[in-house]
């Protein structure tokens, strides 16, 4: 039994050695796999290292040594000269959703919201998603006065770059879909805080007696 254990341990060590010594490219080593002959690939345009700027933690050793790229403003749409068609004061990072508000945009925003946002924010945007119910820090409700007054660009920026414990979604959600989500968030906010004068008689009749 002792000999069997010795041989087994020897085999484990050899397997570990094979894993450590597996074929790989060293930094800046040449490679015939790519047309430019380099094994190191250039990051796609617009990519941002995770351990960077305010998002870097002390474990990365780079806190404060790198800065996030400047906010380019709304990604869509652009005019013929490539200038943004966003409304509002772009220099102060306050601008409105540049996409036309249509039913198709809201339906797309609802679909993307339910996939990426509802697990934490809840289907109604009240911060009571299933992830939060299981102990993850609950996000703020969209139905607070502060977020009802926030510009559309605030939500776009948070989706893109993250906020607090929220992970950035710029690499998962296309710019147009981010704006679609923003439009749907506005629809959620309106559903819980609609002015009385904008309700139809049928809507008013469905309200509880104390709210009519």
């Amino acid at each position: 039994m002792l000999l069997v254990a010795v041989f087994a341990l020897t085999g484990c060590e050899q397997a570990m050695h094979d894993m450590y010594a597996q074929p790989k490219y060293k930094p800046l080593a040449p490679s015939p796999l790519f047309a430019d002959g380099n094994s190191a690939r250039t990051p796609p345009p617009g990519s941002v290292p995770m351990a960077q700027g305010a998002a870097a933690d002390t474990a990365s050793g780079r806190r404060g040594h790198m800065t996030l790229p400047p906010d380019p403003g709304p990604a869509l749409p652009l005019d013929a000269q490539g200038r943004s068609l966003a409304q509002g004061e772009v220099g102060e990072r306050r601008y409105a959703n540049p996409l036309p508000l249509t039913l198709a945009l809201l339906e797309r925003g609802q679909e993307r919201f339910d996939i990426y946002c509802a697990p934490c924010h809840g289907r109604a945007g009240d911060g009571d998603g299933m992830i939060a119910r299981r102990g993850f820090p609950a996000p703020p409700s969209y139905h607070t006065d502060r977020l009802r007054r926030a510009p559309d660009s605030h939500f776009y920026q948070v989706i893109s770059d993250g906020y607090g414990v929220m992970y950035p979604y710029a690499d998962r959600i296309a710019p147009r879909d981010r704006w679609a989500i923003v439009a749907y968030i506005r629809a959620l906010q309106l559903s819980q805080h609609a002015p009385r004068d904008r309700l139809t008689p049928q809507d008013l009749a469905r309200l509880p007696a104390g709210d009519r």
Side-chain angles (χ1 to χ4, degrees):
M1 291 296 293
L2 180 60
L3 287 175
V4 171
V6 169
F7 283 118
L9 290 174
T10 303
C12 290
E13 178 62 29
Q14 181 61 42
M16 293 175 63
H17 177 76
D18 291 343
M19 182 178 68
Y20 297 149
Q22 61 183 298
K24 59 183 179 293
Y25 285 112
K26 298 293 181 67
L28 304 181
S31 170
L33 296 177
F34 302 102
D36 60 4
N38 295 322
S39 61
R41 312 313 303 150
T42 302
S47 59
V48 178
M50 287 303 303
Q52 170 173 297
D57 206 347
T58 53
S60 73
R62 292 192 286 177
R63 179 183 285 277
H65 294 288
M66 301 180 70
T67 57
L68 291 171
D71 174 32
L76 294 172
L78 303 176
D79 64 13
Q81 287 73 42
R83 295 174 299 193
S84 172
L85 294 178
Q87 310 165 32
E89 301 172 352
V90 178
E92 297 181 7
R93 300 163 65 95
R94 298 178 62 88
Y95 38 86
N97 193 331
L99 300 182
L101 184 59
T102 63
L103 179 59
L105 183 72
L106 290 176
E107 289 175 342
R108 178 66 175 180
Q110 180 180 20
E111 180 195 39
R112 299 291 95 181
F113 180 92
D114 288 346
I115 292 172
Y116 293 105
C117 312
C120 288
H121 288 273
R123 298 287 292 272
D126 54 7
D128 190 31
M130 296 305 296
I131 301 297
R133 292 183 187 181
R134 283 160 173 74
F136 195 77
S141 170
Y142 293 135
H143 308 297
T144 62
D145 290 339
R146 178 179 68 85
L147 290 182
R148 278 197 293 263
R149 292 194 301 265
D152 293 345
S153 54
H154 168 78
F155 298 100
Y156 183 91
Q157 188 74 30
V158 170
I159 295 171
S160 302
D161 299 334
Y163 189 88
V165 296
M166 175 180 163
Y167 190 88
Y169 283 84
D171 62 338
R172 308 181 191 191
I173 306 177
R176 188 180 186 89
D177 283 343
R178 287 176 236 167
W179 285 120
I181 291 173
V182 172
Y184 182 67
I185 290 173
R186 292 306 196 197
L188 284 177
Q189 291 176 324
L190 182 61
S191 73
Q192 304 297 313
H193 198 257
R196 181 180 297 275
D197 58 6
R198 297 181 63 179
L199 299 179
T200 65
Q202 293 79 7
D203 292 332
L204 289 171
R206 296 170 59 185
L207 291 176
D211 295 333
R212 295 178 186 174

